[in-house]
Amino acid sequence: MQTQVNHSLGTKLFLLRVLKNPRQLGAVAPSSRHLGALLAKHAAVDDDSPIVELGGGSGSLTRALIKAGINPSRIYVIELDLELANYLKVSMPQVNVIHGNASDLKQILPSEIIGKVQRIVSGLPMINIPQPIQRQILDSCFQIMAPEGAYLQYTYSPRSSINAKAYQLNKKRLGTVFLNLPPASVWQYTKQIFS
């Protein structure tokens, strides 16, 4: 019952934040459990590496990661909106919630996880973010990831919301979820390796 109350409060807070700043949140509703399940399937590559989530929102993706069996203590959620970050800290105290900017990951994440992150899961509205800021965010992500790490991004666009070629990344569509409002595609980005 308490979880349902917390989830309802989170959804209400999320919708209020959307009304206040729709471009920052980039969504009309929290992510569905189906989208969360697809992301969790590709984020859970082992049993102990940290997973970073960008743009925690009301916590629907975080809950999906936990439901998929990922230990909450392995999850580091970065949320720029202070009210949402505070909500996440209260509703999911076992998760590492950090109020901060995705372009500052090396400065805001604990030093002991730098270089060990295998997956970054992003709900940031990259399609609304100018290219120079996109570059800062992606550079920040790949600085803290393990060499074989991957960045997972969902988007409501039928195409990739990140110009992979411009950032020297490989891209791969992992799937599309139609049971989401609106339907969403999940893309994986990895660093190109030059020999």
Side-chain angles (χ1 to χ4, degrees), residues 23-61:
R23 286 182 61 84
Q24 182 177 315
L25 289 173
V28 294
S31 305
S32 74
R33 62 184 170 87
H34 305 284
L35 176 57
L38 177 61
L39 281 159
K41 172 183 165 187
H42 292 283
V45 293
D46 60 35
D47 291 333
D48 52 25
S49 65
I51 296 169
V52 174
E53 180 188 348
L54 306 180
S58 62
S60 56
L61 287 182

PDB file of all heavy atoms in Angstrom, residues 23-61:
ATOM      1  N   ARG A  23       9.942  20.945 -21.645  1.00  0.00           N
ATOM      2  CA  ARG A  23      11.138  20.626 -22.452  1.00  0.00           C
ATOM      3  C   ARG A  23      12.213  19.938 -21.615  1.00  0.00           C
ATOM      4  O   ARG A  23      12.968  19.123 -22.120  1.00  0.00           O
ATOM      5  CB  ARG A  23      11.691  21.886 -23.118  1.00  0.00           C
ATOM      6  CG  ARG A  23      10.823  22.348 -24.273  1.00  0.00           C
ATOM      7  CD  ARG A  23      11.403  23.562 -24.968  1.00  0.00           C
ATOM      8  NE  ARG A  23      12.700  23.329 -25.544  1.00  0.00           N
ATOM      9  CZ  ARG A  23      12.932  22.789 -26.739  1.00  0.00           C
ATOM     10  NH1 ARG A  23      11.911  22.404 -27.484  1.00  0.00           N
ATOM     11  NH2 ARG A  23      14.144  22.638 -27.198  1.00  0.00           N
ATOM     12  N   GLN A  24      12.296  20.267 -20.332  1.00  0.00           N
ATOM     13  CA  GLN A  24      13.310  19.647 -19.485  1.00  0.00           C
ATOM     14  C   GLN A  24      12.993  18.175 -19.243  1.00  0.00           C
ATOM     15  O   GLN A  24      13.873  17.329 -19.270  1.00  0.00           O
ATOM     16  CB  GLN A  24      13.433  20.371 -18.144  1.00  0.00           C
ATOM     17  CG  GLN A  24      14.528  19.769 -17.259  1.00  0.00           C
ATOM     18  CD  GLN A  24      14.691  20.539 -15.961  1.00  0.00           C
ATOM     19  OE1 GLN A  24      14.718  21.765 -15.969  1.00  0.00           O
ATOM     20  NE2 GLN A  24      14.788  19.827 -14.863  1.00  0.00           N
ATOM     21  N   LEU A  25      11.718  17.851 -19.012  1.00  0.00           N
ATOM     22  CA  LEU A  25      11.358  16.463 -18.742  1.00  0.00           C
ATOM     23  C   LEU A  25      11.154  15.670 -20.034  1.00  0.00           C
ATOM     24  O   LEU A  25      11.460  14.485 -20.086  1.00  0.00           O
ATOM     25  CB  LEU A  25      10.115  16.390 -17.856  1.00  0.00           C
ATOM     26  CG  LEU A  25      10.362  16.836 -16.421  1.00  0.00           C
ATOM     27  CD1 LEU A  25       9.064  16.909 -15.653  1.00  0.00           C
ATOM     28  CD2 LEU A  25      11.339  15.924 -15.710  1.00  0.00           C
ATOM     29  N   GLY A  26      10.636  16.301 -21.065  1.00  0.00           N
ATOM     30  CA  GLY A  26      10.546  15.668 -22.374  1.00  0.00           C
ATOM     31  C   GLY A  26       9.562  14.520 -22.482  1.00  0.00           C
ATOM     32  O   GLY A  26       9.621  13.735 -23.418  1.00  0.00           O
ATOM     33  N   ALA A  27       8.650  14.368 -21.531  1.00  0.00           N
ATOM     34  CA  ALA A  27       7.676  13.271 -21.566  1.00  0.00           C
ATOM     35  C   ALA A  27       6.334  13.787 -21.089  1.00  0.00           C
ATOM     36  O   ALA A  27       6.258  14.762 -20.356  1.00  0.00           O
ATOM     37  CB  ALA A  27       8.144  12.127 -20.672  1.00  0.00           C
ATOM     38  N   VAL A  28       5.269  13.099 -21.520  1.00  0.00           N
ATOM     39  CA  VAL A  28       3.934  13.491 -21.074  1.00  0.00           C
ATOM     40  C   VAL A  28       3.441  12.597 -19.947  1.00  0.00           C
ATOM     41  O   VAL A  28       2.457  12.907 -19.294  1.00  0.00           O
ATOM     42  CB  VAL A  28       2.918  13.481 -22.239  1.00  0.00           C
ATOM     43  CG1 VAL A  28       3.261  14.547 -23.267  1.00  0.00           C
ATOM     44  CG2 VAL A  28       2.846  12.107 -22.886  1.00  0.00           C
ATOM     45  N   ALA A  29       4.132  11.470 -19.727  1.00  0.00           N
ATOM     46  CA  ALA A  29       3.742  10.528 -18.672  1.00  0.00           C
ATOM     47  C   ALA A  29       4.980   9.745 -18.251  1.00  0.00           C
ATOM     48  O   ALA A  29       5.928   9.611 -19.024  1.00  0.00           O
ATOM     49  CB  ALA A  29       2.672   9.573 -19.195  1.00  0.00           C
ATOM     50  N   PRO A  30       4.978   9.228 -17.026  1.00  0.00           N
ATOM     51  CA  PRO A  30       6.099   8.372 -16.613  1.00  0.00           C
ATOM     52  C   PRO A  30       6.209   7.155 -17.532  1.00  0.00           C
ATOM     53  O   PRO A  30       5.234   6.727 -18.136  1.00  0.00           O
ATOM     54  CB  PRO A  30       5.715   7.949 -15.189  1.00  0.00           C
ATOM     55  CG  PRO A  30       4.769   9.003 -14.716  1.00  0.00           C
ATOM     56  CD  PRO A  30       4.015   9.429 -15.948  1.00  0.00           C
ATOM     57  N   SER A  31       7.412   6.607 -17.640  1.00  0.00           N
ATOM     58  CA  SER A  31       7.661   5.447 -18.500  1.00  0.00           C
ATOM     59  C   SER A  31       6.854   4.235 -18.034  1.00  0.00           C
ATOM     60  O   SER A  31       6.671   4.027 -16.841  1.00  0.00           O
ATOM     61  CB  SER A  31       9.143   5.094 -18.476  1.00  0.00           C
ATOM     62  OG  SER A  31       9.895   6.216 -18.838  1.00  0.00           O
ATOM     63  N   SER A  32       6.422   3.433 -18.996  1.00  0.00           N
ATOM     64  CA  SER A  32       5.640   2.237 -18.668  1.00  0.00           C
ATOM     65  C   SER A  32       6.547   1.130 -18.139  1.00  0.00           C
ATOM     66  O   SER A  32       7.754   1.137 -18.353  1.00  0.00           O
ATOM     67  CB  SER A  32       4.895   1.734 -19.906  1.00  0.00           C
ATOM     68  OG  SER A  32       5.803   1.112 -20.805  1.00  0.00           O
ATOM     69  N   ARG A  33       5.928   0.134 -17.494  1.00  0.00           N
ATOM     70  CA  ARG A  33       6.702  -1.003 -16.984  1.00  0.00           C
ATOM     71  C   ARG A  33       7.293  -1.804 -18.137  1.00  0.00           C
ATOM     72  O   ARG A  33       8.330  -2.440 -17.995  1.00  0.00           O
ATOM     73  CB  ARG A  33       5.842  -1.880 -16.070  1.00  0.00           C
ATOM     74  CG  ARG A  33       4.654  -2.512 -16.716  1.00  0.00           C
ATOM     75  CD  ARG A  33       3.791  -3.291 -15.716  1.00  0.00           C
ATOM     76  NE  ARG A  33       2.542  -3.712 -16.288  1.00  0.00           N
ATOM     77  CZ  ARG A  33       2.379  -4.845 -16.953  1.00  0.00           C
ATOM     78  NH1 ARG A  33       3.382  -5.666 -17.112  1.00  0.00           N
ATOM     79  NH2 ARG A  33       1.195  -5.163 -17.451  1.00  0.00           N
ATOM     80  N   HIS A  34       6.661  -1.744 -19.319  1.00  0.00           N
ATOM     81  CA  HIS A  34       7.160  -2.476 -20.485  1.00  0.00           C
ATOM     82  C   HIS A  34       8.465  -1.852 -20.984  1.00  0.00           C
ATOM     83  O   HIS A  34       9.409  -2.571 -21.325  1.00  0.00           O
ATOM     84  CB  HIS A  34       6.108  -2.493 -21.602  1.00  0.00           C
ATOM     85  CG  HIS A  34       4.793  -3.030 -21.146  1.00  0.00           C
ATOM     86  ND1 HIS A  34       4.563  -4.375 -20.944  1.00  0.00           N
ATOM     87  CD2 HIS A  34       3.635  -2.395 -20.828  1.00  0.00           C
ATOM     88  CE1 HIS A  34       3.318  -4.552 -20.530  1.00  0.00           C
ATOM     89  NE2 HIS A  34       2.742  -3.365 -20.449  1.00  0.00           N
ATOM     90  N   LEU A  35       8.516  -0.518 -21.016  1.00  0.00           N
ATOM     91  CA  LEU A  35       9.748   0.170 -21.398  1.00  0.00           C
ATOM     92  C   LEU A  35      10.822  -0.111 -20.346  1.00  0.00           C
ATOM     93  O   LEU A  35      11.973  -0.397 -20.676  1.00  0.00           O
ATOM     94  CB  LEU A  35       9.507   1.675 -21.537  1.00  0.00           C
ATOM     95  CG  LEU A  35      10.738   2.536 -21.846  1.00  0.00           C
ATOM     96  CD1 LEU A  35      11.432   2.078 -23.134  1.00  0.00           C
ATOM     97  CD2 LEU A  35      10.340   4.008 -21.946  1.00  0.00           C
ATOM     98  N   GLY A  36      10.434  -0.054 -19.086  1.00  0.00           N
ATOM     99  CA  GLY A  36      11.374  -0.342 -17.999  1.00  0.00           C
ATOM    100  C   GLY A  36      11.957  -1.739 -18.100  1.00  0.00           C
ATOM    101  O   GLY A  36      13.154  -1.952 -17.895  1.00  0.00           O
ATOM    102  N   ALA A  37      11.113  -2.713 -18.457  1.00  0.00           N
ATOM    103  CA  ALA A  37      11.570  -4.097 -18.572  1.00  0.00           C
ATOM    104  C   ALA A  37      12.587  -4.255 -19.703  1.00  0.00           C
ATOM    105  O   ALA A  37      13.590  -4.957 -19.552  1.00  0.00           O
ATOM    106  CB  ALA A  37      10.383  -5.028 -18.791  1.00  0.00           C
ATOM    107  N   LEU A  38      12.351  -3.578 -20.831  1.00  0.00           N
ATOM    108  CA  LEU A  38      13.292  -3.659 -21.953  1.00  0.00           C
ATOM    109  C   LEU A  38      14.634  -3.039 -21.568  1.00  0.00           C
ATOM    110  O   LEU A  38      15.694  -3.618 -21.835  1.00  0.00           O
ATOM    111  CB  LEU A  38      12.710  -2.971 -23.191  1.00  0.00           C
ATOM    112  CG  LEU A  38      13.632  -2.922 -24.423  1.00  0.00           C
ATOM    113  CD1 LEU A  38      13.984  -4.336 -24.905  1.00  0.00           C
ATOM    114  CD2 LEU A  38      12.988  -2.117 -25.550  1.00  0.00           C
ATOM    115  N   LEU A  39      14.598  -1.880 -20.928  1.00  0.00           N
ATOM    116  CA  LEU A  39      15.844  -1.235 -20.506  1.00  0.00           C
ATOM    117  C   LEU A  39      16.570  -2.082 -19.461  1.00  0.00           C
ATOM    118  O   LEU A  39      17.786  -2.259 -19.536  1.00  0.00           O
ATOM    119  CB  LEU A  39      15.557   0.166 -19.949  1.00  0.00           C
ATOM    120  CG  LEU A  39      15.321   1.224 -21.025  1.00  0.00           C
ATOM    121  CD1 LEU A  39      14.564   2.406 -20.466  1.00  0.00           C
ATOM    122  CD2 LEU A  39      16.637   1.677 -21.625  1.00  0.00           C
ATOM    123  N   ALA A  40      15.830  -2.625 -18.510  1.00  0.00           N
ATOM    124  CA  ALA A  40      16.432  -3.443 -17.457  1.00  0.00           C
ATOM    125  C   ALA A  40      17.106  -4.675 -18.039  1.00  0.00           C
ATOM    126  O   ALA A  40      18.203  -5.063 -17.617  1.00  0.00           O
ATOM    127  CB  ALA A  40      15.380  -3.849 -16.431  1.00  0.00           C
ATOM    128  N   LYS A  41      16.470  -5.287 -19.036  1.00  0.00           N
ATOM    129  CA  LYS A  41      17.032  -6.485 -19.680  1.00  0.00           C
ATOM    130  C   LYS A  41      18.421  -6.203 -20.246  1.00  0.00           C
ATOM    131  O   LYS A  41      19.323  -7.035 -20.175  1.00  0.00           O
ATOM    132  CB  LYS A  41      16.074  -6.936 -20.791  1.00  0.00           C
ATOM    133  CG  LYS A  41      16.581  -8.044 -21.669  1.00  0.00           C
ATOM    134  CD  LYS A  41      15.566  -8.347 -22.763  1.00  0.00           C
ATOM    135  CE  LYS A  41      16.199  -9.178 -23.865  1.00  0.00           C
ATOM    136  NZ  LYS A  41      15.292  -9.349 -24.998  1.00  0.00           N
ATOM    137  N   HIS A  42      18.609  -5.012 -20.817  1.00  0.00           N
ATOM    138  CA  HIS A  42      19.890  -4.673 -21.435  1.00  0.00           C
ATOM    139  C   HIS A  42      20.861  -3.991 -20.467  1.00  0.00           C
ATOM    140  O   HIS A  42      22.049  -3.885 -20.766  1.00  0.00           O
ATOM    141  CB  HIS A  42      19.655  -3.804 -22.667  1.00  0.00           C
ATOM    142  CG  HIS A  42      18.989  -4.558 -23.783  1.00  0.00           C
ATOM    143  ND1 HIS A  42      19.659  -5.449 -24.590  1.00  0.00           N
ATOM    144  CD2 HIS A  42      17.694  -4.595 -24.173  1.00  0.00           C
ATOM    145  CE1 HIS A  42      18.817  -5.980 -25.460  1.00  0.00           C
ATOM    146  NE2 HIS A  42      17.618  -5.477 -25.230  1.00  0.00           N
ATOM    147  N   ALA A  43      20.354  -3.535 -19.317  1.00  0.00           N
ATOM    148  CA  ALA A  43      21.224  -2.886 -18.328  1.00  0.00           C
ATOM    149  C   ALA A  43      21.868  -3.895 -17.386  1.00  0.00           C
ATOM    150  O   ALA A  43      22.966  -3.677 -16.888  1.00  0.00           O
ATOM    151  CB  ALA A  43      20.423  -1.865 -17.519  1.00  0.00           C
ATOM    152  N   ALA A  44      21.190  -5.006 -17.146  1.00  0.00           N
ATOM    153  CA  ALA A  44      21.673  -6.004 -16.181  1.00  0.00           C
ATOM    154  C   ALA A  44      22.654  -6.960 -16.854  1.00  0.00           C
ATOM    155  O   ALA A  44      22.319  -8.091 -17.170  1.00  0.00           O
ATOM    156  CB  ALA A  44      20.487  -6.767 -15.595  1.00  0.00           C
ATOM    157  N   VAL A  45      23.880  -6.497 -17.083  1.00  0.00           N
ATOM    158  CA  VAL A  45      24.870  -7.324 -17.793  1.00  0.00           C
ATOM    159  C   VAL A  45      25.690  -8.209 -16.853  1.00  0.00           C
ATOM    160  O   VAL A  45      26.329  -9.144 -17.302  1.00  0.00           O
ATOM    161  CB  VAL A  45      25.816  -6.457 -18.659  1.00  0.00           C
ATOM    162  CG1 VAL A  45      25.052  -5.812 -19.794  1.00  0.00           C
ATOM    163  CG2 VAL A  45      26.537  -5.419 -17.826  1.00  0.00           C
ATOM    164  N   ASP A  46      25.683  -7.899 -15.559  1.00  0.00           N
ATOM    165  CA  ASP A  46      26.387  -8.721 -14.571  1.00  0.00           C
ATOM    166  C   ASP A  46      25.722  -8.509 -13.214  1.00  0.00           C
ATOM    167  O   ASP A  46      24.697  -7.853 -13.125  1.00  0.00           O
ATOM    168  CB  ASP A  46      27.893  -8.400 -14.531  1.00  0.00           C
ATOM    169  CG  ASP A  46      28.182  -6.946 -14.180  1.00  0.00           C
ATOM    170  OD1 ASP A  46      27.430  -6.351 -13.374  1.00  0.00           O
ATOM    171  OD2 ASP A  46      29.159  -6.382 -14.700  1.00  0.00           O
ATOM    172  N   ASP A  47      26.321  -9.078 -12.179  1.00  0.00           N
ATOM    173  CA  ASP A  47      25.693  -9.017 -10.856  1.00  0.00           C
ATOM    174  C   ASP A  47      26.250  -7.949  -9.928  1.00  0.00           C
ATOM    175  O   ASP A  47      25.769  -7.809  -8.806  1.00  0.00           O
ATOM    176  CB  ASP A  47      25.819 -10.378 -10.149  1.00  0.00           C
ATOM    177  CG  ASP A  47      24.963 -11.430 -10.833  1.00  0.00           C
ATOM    178  OD1 ASP A  47      23.947 -11.060 -11.446  1.00  0.00           O
ATOM    179  OD2 ASP A  47      25.327 -12.619 -10.769  1.00  0.00           O
ATOM    180  N   ASP A  48      27.281  -7.226 -10.349  1.00  0.00           N
ATOM    181  CA  ASP A  48      27.846  -6.279  -9.382  1.00  0.00           C
ATOM    182  C   ASP A  48      28.265  -4.911  -9.910  1.00  0.00           C
ATOM    183  O   ASP A  48      28.515  -4.017  -9.115  1.00  0.00           O
ATOM    184  CB  ASP A  48      29.041  -6.927  -8.646  1.00  0.00           C
ATOM    185  CG  ASP A  48      30.071  -7.510  -9.581  1.00  0.00           C
ATOM    186  OD1 ASP A  48      30.156  -7.044 -10.732  1.00  0.00           O
ATOM    187  OD2 ASP A  48      30.778  -8.421  -9.171  1.00  0.00           O
ATOM    188  N   SER A  49      28.350  -4.686 -11.221  1.00  0.00           N
ATOM    189  CA  SER A  49      28.804  -3.369 -11.671  1.00  0.00           C
ATOM    190  C   SER A  49      27.721  -2.312 -11.448  1.00  0.00           C
ATOM    191  O   SER A  49      26.529  -2.601 -11.517  1.00  0.00           O
ATOM    192  CB  SER A  49      29.216  -3.407 -13.145  1.00  0.00           C
ATOM    193  OG  SER A  49      28.106  -3.691 -13.954  1.00  0.00           O
ATOM    194  N   PRO A  50      28.147  -1.078 -11.161  1.00  0.00           N
ATOM    195  CA  PRO A  50      27.170   0.003 -10.949  1.00  0.00           C
ATOM    196  C   PRO A  50      26.434   0.353 -12.244  1.00  0.00           C
ATOM    197  O   PRO A  50      26.985   0.238 -13.330  1.00  0.00           O
ATOM    198  CB  PRO A  50      28.022   1.186 -10.489  1.00  0.00           C
ATOM    199  CG  PRO A  50      29.433   0.765 -10.562  1.00  0.00           C
ATOM    200  CD  PRO A  50      29.517  -0.642 -11.028  1.00  0.00           C
ATOM    201  N   ILE A  51      25.192   0.775 -12.085  1.00  0.00           N
ATOM    202  CA  ILE A  51      24.374   1.247 -13.206  1.00  0.00           C
ATOM    203  C   ILE A  51      23.980   2.684 -12.888  1.00  0.00           C
ATOM    204  O   ILE A  51      23.516   2.979 -11.785  1.00  0.00           O
ATOM    205  CB  ILE A  51      23.119   0.375 -13.382  1.00  0.00           C
ATOM    206  CG1 ILE A  51      23.529  -1.054 -13.766  1.00  0.00           C
ATOM    207  CG2 ILE A  51      22.174   0.969 -14.417  1.00  0.00           C
ATOM    208  CD1 ILE A  51      22.401  -2.050 -13.717  1.00  0.00           C
ATOM    209  N   VAL A  52      24.180   3.566 -13.843  1.00  0.00           N
ATOM    210  CA  VAL A  52      23.825   4.973 -13.660  1.00  0.00           C
ATOM    211  C   VAL A  52      22.584   5.263 -14.490  1.00  0.00           C
ATOM    212  O   VAL A  52      22.511   4.896 -15.665  1.00  0.00           O
ATOM    213  CB  VAL A  52      24.991   5.901 -14.080  1.00  0.00           C
ATOM    214  CG1 VAL A  52      24.570   7.367 -14.033  1.00  0.00           C
ATOM    215  CG2 VAL A  52      26.214   5.661 -13.191  1.00  0.00           C
ATOM    216  N   GLU A  53      21.606   5.884 -13.867  1.00  0.00           N
ATOM    217  CA  GLU A  53      20.388   6.299 -14.567  1.00  0.00           C
ATOM    218  C   GLU A  53      20.358   7.811 -14.622  1.00  0.00           C
ATOM    219  O   GLU A  53      20.470   8.482 -13.592  1.00  0.00           O
ATOM    220  CB  GLU A  53      19.147   5.780 -13.837  1.00  0.00           C
ATOM    221  CG  GLU A  53      17.861   6.190 -14.521  1.00  0.00           C
ATOM    222  CD  GLU A  53      16.602   5.861 -13.732  1.00  0.00           C
ATOM    223  OE1 GLU A  53      16.678   5.115 -12.741  1.00  0.00           O
ATOM    224  OE2 GLU A  53      15.535   6.390 -14.104  1.00  0.00           O
ATOM    225  N   LEU A  54      20.207   8.367 -15.819  1.00  0.00           N
ATOM    226  CA  LEU A  54      20.138   9.814 -16.003  1.00  0.00           C
ATOM    227  C   LEU A  54      18.684  10.238 -16.153  1.00  0.00           C
ATOM    228  O   LEU A  54      17.964   9.691 -16.992  1.00  0.00           O
ATOM    229  CB  LEU A  54      20.922  10.237 -17.252  1.00  0.00           C
ATOM    230  CG  LEU A  54      22.376   9.785 -17.353  1.00  0.00           C
ATOM    231  CD1 LEU A  54      22.996  10.297 -18.643  1.00  0.00           C
ATOM    232  CD2 LEU A  54      23.177  10.247 -16.144  1.00  0.00           C
ATOM    233  N   GLY A  55      18.255  11.194 -15.342  1.00  0.00           N
ATOM    234  CA  GLY A  55      16.885  11.686 -15.420  1.00  0.00           C
ATOM    235  C   GLY A  55      15.913  10.729 -14.759  1.00  0.00           C
ATOM    236  O   GLY A  55      15.088  10.117 -15.424  1.00  0.00           O
ATOM    237  N   GLY A  56      16.020  10.578 -13.458  1.00  0.00           N
ATOM    238  CA  GLY A  56      15.207   9.614 -12.711  1.00  0.00           C
ATOM    239  C   GLY A  56      13.720   9.889 -12.717  1.00  0.00           C
ATOM    240  O   GLY A  56      12.921   8.966 -12.540  1.00  0.00           O
ATOM    241  N   GLY A  57      13.320  11.144 -12.931  1.00  0.00           N
ATOM    242  CA  GLY A  57      11.895  11.484 -12.962  1.00  0.00           C
ATOM    243  C   GLY A  57      11.178  11.030 -11.708  1.00  0.00           C
ATOM    244  O   GLY A  57      11.624  11.287 -10.592  1.00  0.00           O
ATOM    245  N   SER A  58      10.078  10.299 -11.882  1.00  0.00           N
ATOM    246  CA  SER A  58       9.303   9.828 -10.728  1.00  0.00           C
ATOM    247  C   SER A  58       9.736   8.434 -10.285  1.00  0.00           C
ATOM    248  O   SER A  58       9.137   7.858  -9.382  1.00  0.00           O
ATOM    249  CB  SER A  58       7.806   9.839 -11.054  1.00  0.00           C
ATOM    250  OG  SER A  58       7.537   8.949 -12.122  1.00  0.00           O
ATOM    251  N   GLY A  59      10.758   7.874 -10.945  1.00  0.00           N
ATOM    252  CA  GLY A  59      11.317   6.602 -10.496  1.00  0.00           C
ATOM    253  C   GLY A  59      10.779   5.364 -11.177  1.00  0.00           C
ATOM    254  O   GLY A  59      11.097   4.256 -10.760  1.00  0.00           O
ATOM    255  N   SER A  60       9.990   5.501 -12.237  1.00  0.00           N
ATOM    256  CA  SER A  60       9.412   4.307 -12.861  1.00  0.00           C
ATOM    257  C   SER A  60      10.486   3.391 -13.445  1.00  0.00           C
ATOM    258  O   SER A  60      10.399   2.161 -13.316  1.00  0.00           O
ATOM    259  CB  SER A  60       8.367   4.681 -13.913  1.00  0.00           C
ATOM    260  OG  SER A  60       8.904   5.532 -14.887  1.00  0.00           O
ATOM    261  N   LEU A  61      11.523   3.962 -14.081  1.00  0.00           N
ATOM    262  CA  LEU A  61      12.589   3.115 -14.626  1.00  0.00           C
ATOM    263  C   LEU A  61      13.438   2.520 -13.509  1.00  0.00           C
ATOM    264  O   LEU A  61      13.851   1.362 -13.592  1.00  0.00           O
ATOM    265  CB  LEU A  61      13.473   3.912 -15.586  1.00  0.00           C
ATOM    266  CG  LEU A  61      12.844   4.250 -16.928  1.00  0.00           C
ATOM    267  CD1 LEU A  61      13.821   5.000 -17.810  1.00  0.00           C
ATOM    268  CD2 LEU A  61      12.345   3.018 -17.647  1.00  0.00           C
TER     269      LEU A  61
END
